[in-house]
Amino acid sequence: MRVVALEGRGELGEWRDAARRLLLAGVPPEAVEWRQEADASADLFDRERGDPEKQVPLEHASPALTVPRLFLDLAATAICHADPVRFGVLYRVLHRLQRDRDLLGNATDGDVAALHGLAKSVRRDSHKMTAFVRFKEVGACEDAGRRRFVAWFEPDHYIVARVAPFFHRRFFDMDWMIATPRGIAAWNGKLLEVSSTPGQKTALSDDTEELWRTYFSSIFNPARLKVKAMQAEMPKKYWKNLPEASLIPGMIAGAEASVVAMGERMARDPPAFHARIEAAAKVREEGPPVPWTLEELRAEASRCTRCPLHCSATQTVFGEGPAGAPIMIVGEQPGDLEDLAGRPFVGPAGKLFDAVAHEAGLDRRSLYVTNAVKHFKYEMRGKRRLHQRPDAGEVEHCRWWLDLELALVKPRLVVAMGATALFALTGERPKIADVRGTIRRSEHGPAVFVTVHPSFLLRIPDAARREVEMVHFKRDLAAVAAFGAPGS
């Protein structure tokens, strides 16, 4: 039996070096006894001293000893566990991985389940540390006047080095130290230091303790109290170091009475501002008075709140062009550049439309160009705003503005570019490929010519197909130009 004694304070490299030596020496898991350094009276591999030929120097490690990335991630987490059993579990899995590379995919395997259990416990302990550390101010630092804070926390595992970067990122602008029985982490504005030396709890208090109590009492809702759920999220073992925890027993005891008191204080009549809110909602539903000019309509639309899209868009992007334009172009919605510029069709799709329209004999200055939806709908992807298609409800809300544009411009022909524009103009949802190049007649409105949106052409990855579609688009705009020509 070989005895391996490790310090075991969450350092993966220490275990990895020992495990590689054992594995290269062909030592099976059942022939190894792992110990925490405090539990062993011998140094590393003490039992091997009488048999030197069996020892394998670390520098002879073979590059063939490879493991899946998942094992390294699990090992880096599980090694922080406080139970010495972790060393044996890790070595058994490592030893078996040399024969079975798919071992970690077997969730029902005992060793794999044990490894995941160790890692889960460490992750939960790390989460609790980020949630329940309470800093207390100890005065400003003499250097540059930086504020200084200390905190005491009692983790179950060796997670100080693992969690320290979280506090470094979050509290970069202050000096702090977190002391625990399993190590210390400190940041002085220049260097993040982590030590395995046990810290000492200090009897400090500051004004923030009362702020924590005030905050906790203000968010406590006795009507939704679930004691077991609360204790599962905030276990009692953490209470002694949380200033707000002193309020919990009293809050639980008085919850029922607090609910009764809340019911007695409940307002019997609507608040004073309720009537004003209802009146404002009614105005939004009915819409503003119908303007008599495009400029008045544009001014009204700039204040539009008919749907939630106005909350995240930069501004309303209204139509532009002369009143009485014979042809109206209707797209889907403004894009990122249109939202910033406040003008329709100025982005990549707009530039493509301008080029093809010019080639087809259409002068944009003589056209009225607008969109079915006047606000930019998007989702954030990192720092980019990516287009999202408006839904039917958003199109319906914006149809109010489109109808007024049609009434004021009175075009002879409306060009619906894409499915959203066609739906806004006709209420129909056919496939664009089936109706492209056709004219949809209306009893009360102008004729509607159907074609694709220019952005469709920009999204086609295949160059040959894109060229074919471009020819069709040029043919469509040439037909629009012919329809709008004098005497046609």
Side-chain angles (χ1 to χ4, degrees):
M1 179 66 67
R2 302 196 181 192
V3 176
V4 182
L6 303 178
E7 184 180 1
R9 293 186 173 274
E11 172 56 47
L12 179 62
E14 178 192 33
W15 172 86
R16 182 186 58 216
D17 293 346
R20 289 172 69 187
R21 287 192 179 97
L22 289 169
L23 198 60
L24 288 169
V27 180
E30 60 270 17
V32 184
E33 180 183 344
W34 298 89
R35 294 183 182 177
Q36 290 268 152
E37 189 172 16
D39 299 330
S41 59
D43 294 329
L44 183 65
F45 293 103
D46 177 69
R47 299 296 177 86
E48 294 183 333
R49 289 181 178 175
D51 197 2
E53 65 274 11
K54 292 186 178 180
Q55 298 186 29
V56 180
L58 178 61
E59 57 268 20
H60 292 170
S62 168
L65 294 181
T66 60
V67 293
R69 179 68 189 180
L70 176 58
F71 175 76
L72 291 177
D73 294 339
L74 285 170
T77 303
I79 200 68
C80 298
H81 204 282
D83 193 336
V85 74
R86 67 193 184 278
F87 303 133
V89 171
L90 284 167
Y91 186 61
R92 286 198 301 275
V93 174
L94 175 64
H95 191 272
R96 295 176 60 191
L97 278 172
Q98 306 311 306
R99 303 187 307 274
D100 182 3
R101 301 292 292 181
D102 298 325
L103 174 63
L104 295 178
N106 184 3
T108 61
D109 181 86
D111 289 334
V112 175
L115 180 57
H116 278 283
L118 293 169
K120 181 179 179 180
S121 181
V122 170
R123 287 193 294 266
R124 177 176 173 81
D125 199 32
S126 300
H127 168 70
K128 296 304 180 186
M129 183 170 179
T130 62
F132 297 142
V133 162
R134 298 290 183 262
F135 285 106
K136 299 176 183 179
E137 190 164 7
V138 294
C141 178
E142 296 180 0
D143 181 17
R146 288 169 60 90
R147 299 172 71 186
R148 295 188 300 170
F149 296 81
V150 297
W152 171 257
F153 186 74
E154 299 177 18
D156 292 332
H157 307 299
Y158 298 100
I159 60 170
V160 177
R162 176 184 176 85
V163 183
F166 166 84
F167 291 98
H168 175 227
R169 293 190 302 269
R170 190 164 187 177
F171 302 109
F172 186 83
D173 60 342
M174 71 185 200
D175 294 350
W176 51 262
M177 180 181 72
I178 303 174
T180 81
R182 300 183 184 275
I184 299 173
W187 166 249
N188 62 5
K190 299 177 182 178
L191 180 66
L192 176 64
E193 295 182 292
V194 179
S195 167
S196 59
T197 303
Q200 298 293 325
K201 184 177 181 179
T202 56
L204 292 176
S205 62
D206 66 356
D207 294 339
T208 59
E209 293 188 358
E210 190 57 36
L211 290 176
W212 273 110
R213 295 186 185 96
T214 301
Y215 168 73
F216 191 72
S217 61
S218 67
I219 65 171
F220 178 74
N221 185 349
R224 303 184 66 180
L225 174 64
K226 295 181 179 180
V227 177
K228 290 184 178 180
M230 182 188 70
Q231 292 182 355
E233 183 60 30
M234 185 190 289
K236 282 189 174 181
K237 64 182 179 181
Y238 298 112
W239 289 14
K240 60 184 176 182
N241 296 316
L242 299 176
E244 66 270 29
S246 61
L247 304 176
I248 295 177
M251 288 179 167
I252 294 175
E256 185 174 348
S258 297
V259 172
V260 173
M262 288 169 59
E264 293 175 349
R265 293 193 302 269
M266 187 181 302
R268 297 296 186 268
D269 298 318
F273 57 80
H274 184 71
R276 293 197 296 273
I277 292 177
E278 283 195 332
K282 185 176 181 181
V283 169
R284 286 196 299 271
E285 181 179 341
E286 295 177 350
V290 177
W292 292 102
T293 68
L294 282 174
E295 287 305 316
E296 291 173 336
L297 186 62
R298 181 176 289 105
E300 289 288 352
S302 68
R303 299 184 289 271
C304 178
T305 58
R306 296 177 66 84
C307 76
L309 291 184
H310 78 279
C311 298
S312 56
T314 303
Q315 57 190 311
T316 302
V317 180
F318 203 69
E320 65 177 23
I327 298 174
M328 177 185 285
I329 307 295
V330 181
E332 179 189 81
Q333 67 157 345
D336 181 74
L337 293 178
E338 287 84 357
D339 176 67
L340 297 174
R343 296 183 57 209
F345 281 79
V346 295
K351 288 181 172 58
L352 176 61
F353 168 75
D354 288 346
V356 177
H358 178 75
E359 185 177 338
L362 289 171
D363 184 357
R364 174 159 174 168
R365 292 171 299 179
S366 67
L367 307 174
Y368 187 86
V369 182
T370 189
N371 283 296
V373 173
K374 312 301 186 191
H375 286 114
F376 181 32
K377 182 179 181 180
Y378 61 90
E379 66 173 345
M380 294 301 300
R381 190 74 57 83
K383 294 183 179 180
R384 299 176 59 199
R385 302 192 300 173
L386 297 185
H387 163 277
Q388 279 191 311
R389 175 175 292 185
D391 59 35
E394 291 155 352
V395 174
E396 288 289 349
H397 279 105
C398 239
R399 183 176 284 151
W400 194 86
W401 298 109
L402 183 60
D403 287 345
L404 288 176
E405 286 178 296
L406 288 166
L408 291 174
V409 176
K410 296 182 175 61
R412 294 176 55 218
L413 178 69
V414 181
V415 180
M417 295 204 301
T420 300
L422 181 60
F423 173 67
L425 290 164
T426 66
E428 301 175 358
R429 290 183 176 273
K431 290 184 178 180
I432 293 298
D434 295 339
V435 296
R436 179 180 184 177
T438 65
I439 292 180
R440 322 292 285 181
R441 297 290 179 178
S442 171
E443 294 182 6
H444 307 291
V448 178
F449 183 90
V450 185
T451 186
V452 297
H453 196 282
S455 62
F456 163 73
L457 304 173
L458 297 175
R459 293 194 302 268
I460 300 175
D462 181 69
R465 185 190 170 208
R466 184 167 59 250
E467 185 62 30
V468 171
E469 292 293 344
M470 185 69 74
V471 171
H472 290 172
F473 187 58
K474 291 178 180 178
R475 187 183 305 156
D476 288 346
L477 292 194
V480 171
F483 187 96
S488 60

